[in-house]
Amino acid sequence: MFRELLFNLCLLISVHYLLRFTFRSWPVSTRGWSHVARLAAFSAAALTLMFFPAHLAPGIQVDLRAVPIAFVTLQFGPVAGLMVALPLLIYRVWLGGIGVYAAIPSLLSVILITSLVRRVVPPMGPLFWKHWPSIILMFLLNGVPVLFLPDGVRLFVQIYPLLLLLSVAGALAGWGILSERFHVLRLTSQWQSAALTDPLTGLGNRRQFDQDLTAMGSGDALLLVDIDHFKRVNDTFGHQAGDEVLQEVARLLEREGRGRDRAYRYGGEEFALILRNVQVGSLIRVAERLRSGVAALPLASIRGSVTVSLGGVQWAALMPEQLIERADQALYAAKRSGRNQACIWGPWLAQDHQPATETLPPSTTTT
C-alpha cells in the first residue's frame, strides 16, 4: 500500500507540473472558456490519480485526489471546487463498494475546510508554505469517515496517518510548482507594465500607444492633446510644478475615458487618446469636454490654470502613420487658431492646413 501511495504522490507532482501550463498570464482570469478548460484540466488530473489508487480493502481505495480539489477551492472558491469534484464523485459512485460512504464525505470535508481557511493561505504567494498548519487543517478530516465503516478503527489506524502525511507533502510540492509559475507570471507582468507605462503619469507610454494604434478599427478615433505654453510653466514655476500639471492633466484624461478608451503620454507635454466606438459627430464634443475640463483644473502649484489644444481624426482604414499625421495637422491647426482650441481633421487640412469653422469650437482665451 505504501508503494502505491508513493507512486500516487509522484504522479500528483507530475500532473501539477503539467497543470502549471494552464496558467499563461497574470492576473489569472476566472472567466471565459480558458478558465473552464483550466478547471477541466484539474478535474482530469484528480481523476488520473484515482486510476492508480492503493487498495485498502475490497471496495475501499485510497489516493491523493483531494489535493488538486483543495487547490482549486483555495484559488477559485468552493463553487469551483465543487465543479471540479463533481466528476470525481460521479466516478466514485460508479465504482461502487462500501468505501463510497467514506470517499464522498471525505472529499466534501476538504472543500468545506479549505473554503474556511482560503483567506489565510495565499497559494499565489512564493512563501505560501509558511502556512503549513492551515494546509494540514485542510486535509484533517480526509479519511476520517473510514471510522464508520465495518472494521473502521483498524482501517483508520492503517491509512489515516499516511494519507494525511502524503496529502500535505503533495500539496506543498505540487502547489509549490504552481506558486513558482505564478511568481514568474507576476514578475513578467510587472516588467511588461513598466516597459509600457510612463513612470510620471502612470499612463501608457509611446511604446504602448504604438501597439494599440495598430489595433484601431471602424468607429475608433484618435485625439492628440498638447498643453499650451508648457515651457512657460516650467520656466516660471519650476519643473516640479510642471510635473504636477502633467499628472493632473493625465488624471483628467484617464478619468474622462469610457470603458475601452485609453490615454497615453505621447511625449513631453503631449498626450494621446484612443477612443473606441465614437460617432463622427461626437468626436468634437468629446474633445471640447476634455478641453474645458483641463481649463477648470485647480492647480495650486502654478496659482492658475492651463489650457490644451486638441487635434482629432476618425479612423478610416488608415495606416498608423497616416492617422498620426492627420491628428498632427488638426492639432497644429488648433494651435494656429490661438490655442485652447479643438480641431477635427478634414480634407481642407490636407490642402491648405487652415482650420474650418465647422470643426472648431468658438474661440477662447489662450494661456
Side-chain angles (χ1 to χ4, degrees), residues 24 27 36 40 84 105 125 133 137 146 149 197 210 261 270 299 315 320 336 358 360:
R24 304 176 63 88
V36 174
V84 172
L137 185 62
V146 170
L149 300 180
T197 303
D210 290 340
D261 296 347
E270 194 168 359
L299 299 169
W315 187 88
R336 285 195 303 270
E358 63 268 26
L360 291 172

Side-chain angles (χ1 to χ4, degrees), residues 12 84 99 175-176 195 199 226 233 240 243 268 280 288 312 318 331 351:
L12 172 71
V84 172
W175 299 357
D226 190 83
V233 173
Q240 187 172 355
D243 289 346
V280 176
E288 261 298 285
L318 300 171
L331 176 62
Q351 299 172 1

Side-chain angles (χ1 to χ4, degrees), residues 121-273:
V121 185
M124 289 188 180
L127 300 178
F128 82 96
W129 53 268
K130 289 187 175 182
H131 299 272
W132 60 266
S134 296
I135 296 177
I136 293 176
L137 185 62
M138 294 178 198
F139 302 103
L140 201 59
L141 296 183
N142 187 30
V144 170
V146 170
L147 285 168
F148 301 97
L149 300 180
D151 200 19
V153 174
R154 183 186 65 82
L155 295 174
F156 177 82
V157 173
Q158 183 180 355
I159 192 57
Y160 179 78
L162 183 59
L163 179 61
L164 179 61
L165 175 64
L166 294 184
S167 295
V168 174
L172 290 172
W175 299 357
I177 293 172
L178 298 178
S179 178
E180 287 301 316
R181 176 69 169 179
F182 296 146
H183 183 59
V184 170
L185 291 175
R186 186 187 295 110
L187 289 178
T188 302
S189 176
Q190 290 173 352
W191 292 336
Q192 289 176 341
S193 178
L196 299 174
T197 303
D198 175 62
L200 178 64
T201 63
L203 300 181
N205 61 13
R206 178 63 182 268
R207 185 181 291 109
Q208 180 70 70
F209 171 73
D210 290 340
Q211 290 182 11
D212 294 349
L213 192 66
T214 61
M216 289 181 64
S218 178
D220 296 343
L222 170 64
L223 275 176
L224 294 183
V225 183
D226 190 83
I227 301 176
D228 297 325
H229 302 298
F230 184 72
K231 185 176 183 300
R232 185 183 303 170
V233 173
N234 279 331
D235 292 343
T236 305
F237 302 102
H239 289 280
Q240 187 172 355
D243 289 346
E244 182 195 344
V245 169
L246 292 172
Q247 291 170 335
E248 289 299 323
V249 171
R251 290 191 189 100
L252 181 135
L253 297 180
E254 195 169 34
R255 188 168 61 247
E256 291 293 327
R258 313 155 304 145
R260 295 171 57 213
D261 296 347
R262 188 164 186 180
Y264 311 83
R265 188 180 179 190
Y266 187 64
E269 68 272 21
E270 194 168 359
F271 298 86
L273 291 96

